[in-house]
């Protein structure tokens, strides 16, 4: 399958590599020339512009965007539309707000094109472990994407799902990230309690390793917590500043709009905001977990 990958940051580039490793042909585009040259040396075709990318793809084209949510997605779509034809397929695999996705789908469909939203989870580990893909869009468009989805997922029949119509993929990913906030918060608070119990002098790395096997709280996030604690048990090199990508905020707002109580997710979001004005082990561990699973930057303690 031939795929145009637009946006070759950490996740976009790794997705392109996973596709190529399975025999798919990738045409890449990125505003960063270094990123474009790097993926080209690994076997992808490089396009110097979106117009060139469209010209290098055989109709019906598949253009997969992995660009930052917001204005960049709108700009990419507007730049692409003049060079696409009826029945071409445009995919947004970034963390867009589902309401923006619904608006963009209408715009794309006016041109006779398909629009599919793919909520993507997996972070920096997706290249080797596979990505969890939450797919929204019309049946015929998703069916045509199946070869790529099966390659990117952990298995051909696991880790990905056509969850509903356009917008539903990003909606489900939004809620996924809200849940992630709550789970991370619970781990971080629990380890902070143990960290504060100085009389027992607990080895928190050992505790994490013990919980990883057999425990009802075992998870991939716990695996990554253990990894972070092995590198720096006291988290002395990490500032307790915990960023948020926006999806936790959207989840809380959606819960309010739907009259659904979501106190755990809401409190986890507020804790991240609180992290920016206080120093705590909880927030250091949250920052360390984000770095482990997503490669998100952490602030050094001297910053």
């Amino acid at each position: 399958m031939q795929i145009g990958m637009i946006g070759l940051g950490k996740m976009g580039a790794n997705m392109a590599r996973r596709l190529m490793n399975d025999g798919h042909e990738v045409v890449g585009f990125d505003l960063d020339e270094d990123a474009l040259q790097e993926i080209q040396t690994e076997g992808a075709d490089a396009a110097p512009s979106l117009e060139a990318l469209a010209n290098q793809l055989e109709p019906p084209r598949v253009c997969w965007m992995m660009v930052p949510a917001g204005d960049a997605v709108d700009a990419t779509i507007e730049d692409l539309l003049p060079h696409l034809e009826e029945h071409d397929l445009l995919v947004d695999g970034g963390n867009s707000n589902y309401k923006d996705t619904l608006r963009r789908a209408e715009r794309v469909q006016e041109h006779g094109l398909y629009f599919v939203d793919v909520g993507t989870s997996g972070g920096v580990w997706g290249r080797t472990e596979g990505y969890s893909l939450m797919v929204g869009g019309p049946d015929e468009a998703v069916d045509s994407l199946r070869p790529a989805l099966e390659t990117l997922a952990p298995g051909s029949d696991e880790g990905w799902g056509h969850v509903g119509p356009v917008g539903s993929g990003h909606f489900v990913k939004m809620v996924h990230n809200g849940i992630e906030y709550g789970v991370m918060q619970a781990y971080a608070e629990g380890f902070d309690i143990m960290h504060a119990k100085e009389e027992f002098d607990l080895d928190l790395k050992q505790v994490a390793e013990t919980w990883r096997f057999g425990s009802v709280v075992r998870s991939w996030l716990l695996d990554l917590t253990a990894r972070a604690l092995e590198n720096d048990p006291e988290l002395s090199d990490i500032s307790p500043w915990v960023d948020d990508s926006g999806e936790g905020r959207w989840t809380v707002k959606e819960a309010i709009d739907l009259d659904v109580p979501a106190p755990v997710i809401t409190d986890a979001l507020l804790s991240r905001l609180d992290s920016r004005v206080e120093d705590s082990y909880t927030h250091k561990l949250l920052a360390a977990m984000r770095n482990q699973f997503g490669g998100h930057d952490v602030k050094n303690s001297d910053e």
Side-chain angles (χ1 to χ4, degrees), residues 6-298:
I6 302 165
L8 298 171
K10 292 177 182 176
M11 187 171 287
N14 281 337
M15 292 174 76
R17 294 179 180 110
R18 189 171 174 91
L19 288 165
M20 289 188 293
N21 287 343
D22 199 41
H24 298 283
E25 179 184 350
V26 173
V27 180
F29 170 77
D30 197 285
L31 294 174
D32 183 341
E33 292 187 5
D34 290 338
L36 193 60
Q37 290 177 4
E38 181 178 350
I39 202 70
Q40 187 177 24
T41 62
E42 297 181 40
D45 293 326
S49 66
L50 290 175
E51 179 180 5
L53 179 137
N55 289 336
Q56 288 176 239
L57 295 173
E58 294 291 332
R61 302 169 180 83
V62 175
C63 298
W64 191 306
M65 298 181 294
M66 292 300 295
V67 299
D71 293 342
V73 180
D74 289 304
T76 301
I77 291 173
E78 291 305 315
D79 287 347
L80 263 177
L81 283 178
H83 312 297
L84 299 180
E85 301 172 355
E86 190 175 3
H87 303 308
D88 286 347
L89 173 57
L90 192 55
V91 180
D92 182 1
N95 282 332
S96 292
N97 188 306
Y98 82 95
K99 295 178 180 178
D100 290 334
T101 298
L102 293 173
R103 169 179 57 79
R104 291 165 183 149
E106 289 187 5
R107 170 71 171 144
V108 169
Q109 289 162 2
E110 290 173 357
H111 289 256
L113 310 177
Y114 291 112
F115 193 82
V116 172
D117 55 300
V118 179
T120 307
S121 179
V124 296
W125 296 87
R127 180 181 178 184
T128 55
E129 302 293 327
Y131 298 90
S132 175
L133 306 171
M134 297 141 265
V135 186
D139 291 344
E140 58 271 29
V142 176
D143 286 344
S144 70
L145 269 180
R146 180 177 289 272
L149 298 171
E150 291 180 346
T151 290
L152 292 170
S156 61
D157 58 352
E158 61 184 22
W160 76 276
H162 183 190
V163 298
V166 168
S168 64
H170 283 151
F171 179 83
V172 172
K173 177 56 162 57
M174 175 191 74
V175 177
H176 164 283
N177 280 29
I179 293 171
E180 178 186 290
Y181 277 39
V183 175
M184 291 172 64
Q185 186 70 26
Y187 277 133
E189 290 178 6
F191 276 88
D192 197 2
I193 293 168
M194 292 186 288
H195 181 262
K197 193 66 172 176
E198 296 180 358
E199 64 192 85
F200 286 157
D201 191 25
L202 296 171
D203 181 341
L204 298 187
K205 170 62 167 60
Q206 181 195 44
V207 172
E209 287 293 342
T210 301
W211 288 356
R212 286 182 61 212
F213 303 96
S215 168
V216 296
V217 300
R218 64 188 184 273
S219 72
W220 186 43
L221 279 174
L222 182 60
D223 294 343
L224 298 176
T225 299
R227 179 186 173 98
L229 292 172
E230 181 177 21
N231 294 338
D232 182 8
E234 291 298 317
L235 306 177
S236 55
D237 294 331
I238 296 178
S239 171
W241 172 288
V242 188
D243 208 350
D244 69 281
S245 61
E247 292 191 305
R249 301 183 187 213
W250 302 340
T251 304
V252 170
K253 184 178 185 305
E254 194 70 26
I256 293 170
D257 291 344
L258 294 172
D259 293 327
V260 175
V264 172
I265 295 174
T266 302
D267 187 64
L269 171 64
L270 295 178
S271 178
R272 292 196 178 196
L273 302 180
D274 191 46
S275 77
R276 298 160 200 183
V277 294
E278 71 172 37
D279 186 2
S280 80
Y281 191 86
T282 294
H283 295 131
K284 288 183 178 181
L285 191 53
L286 285 170
M289 278 190 272
R290 291 184 83 248
N291 174 258
Q292 286 292 327
F293 72 74
H296 301 289
D297 292 336
V298 296

